[in-house]
Amino acid sequence: MEISAAYILESAMRDTASPFEFDGPVPLDCMINRRAEADTIRAWTHESQLMALVAPRRYGKTSLIRKIASEGEKVGLMVVTADLFEVASLSDLVLRLERAWAQHTPEELRPAAGKILSSAQAGVSISGAGFALTMADKPTTDPEPALHALLELPAQLAQHRPGRILIVLDEFQSVAGVPEAQALIWKHAWQQRQSVSYLFAGGGPGMLSTAPDDRERPVGQMRTLQLDRLPAAELREVIKDRFAARNRDVSDVVDGLVAASERHPQRTMLLAHLLWHEVPAGERATTDDLEAAITAALRQVDAEARATMSGLTVGQRKVLRAVAEYGTPMAARALRALGLPKTTAQKAAPHLVATGLIEDTDQGWRVIDPLLARWIRTNYGTRA
């Protein structure tokens, strides 16, 4: 049988292409763990719960949401996801929600959704471009009627279909910068909870800090799921299996890789991807290969790390360095070596926690991004 050049090239590419996804949401068939988290959110959804999904950046919130949406289609759960990252105003919020409905409304419900929105006469449409055209025609348009129309749409649309609707508001912490937006969204979510579920996803437990907490709409009744780092045993097995499937052996260094990544979901995949390019087919990875991968990772995050540091105040930079180098912002040696007043550390640490740069765990303080921590120790280390 004659083998084509195209087949040979395709086979070679399959053998050399990294099996580790690290840039953007993970394909559903490549997700590691998270089954329990998906099951929990689905159970809470059908219990009419309002939910918060909390995790630092790059922990897989978006991938988990996509998994829930994909599997929900098979059991009659309709999921509408709006990306609210850096939402700037009520008008911007309207545009994000309108776009979400345009992208996620099933074909059989589009006529009903279109009719509901057009009857509201608020300038929004199921096409996802209505409010932008309205503002272009009348720049002084008040966005609040359009926002109410979009927030009322889930409950109205629920009357046209069996099963529940799940509204996912991703990067919800950004809404805190838009006056009155959180309280308005929370009010609609609470009123609709018998037919519509809401999942507020974001980077910190303070996502609903400005929502009204009263007897009628108690924020404390929200169920919160905190995404953790991935389990070490499963990470080791997945990494070894993916290397072995392409005739590569990482048995000698997989423990070191997982330790270096500190089980951080995206950083583990990045290091595995970079290690992949250090190990030819048929070879066994060495500690030198792992060190080369870590060095490559530090080069890759250099610009991001510098931008992170430059975006902080002097006191915040010193606290971040103290955690990276000494494991706590309050160590006497850190305060002395970095010229960090204790009062500055006490003030700066909560800000770094809120922005997802450091965390205080049962095992102590740590920088959430292990590569940022290593980059700090490599470039600034004051600790011998």
Side-chain angles (χ1 to χ4, degrees), residues 233-270:
E234 188 162 354
L235 278 175
R236 286 193 291 267
E237 289 306 310
V238 167
I239 293 169
K240 286 195 297 184
D241 288 349
R242 291 185 187 177
F243 270 87
R246 307 287 183 86
N247 193 27
R248 292 163 171 84
D249 188 346
V250 291
S251 301
D252 294 343
V253 300
V254 68
D255 287 344
L257 188 154
V258 172
S261 71
E262 298 179 9
R263 302 185 292 114
H264 184 293
Q266 190 271 348
R267 293 321 200 191
T268 304
M269 294 300 103
L270 173 59

Side-chain angles (χ1 to χ4, degrees), residues 24 27 41 69 119-120 178 187 195 197 203 212 228 243 246 302 311 316 361:
I41 290 175
S119 66
V178 181
K187 175 183 176 181
S195 58
S197 294
D228 199 357
F243 270 87
R246 307 287 183 86
D302 182 78
Q316 290 163 1
T361 72

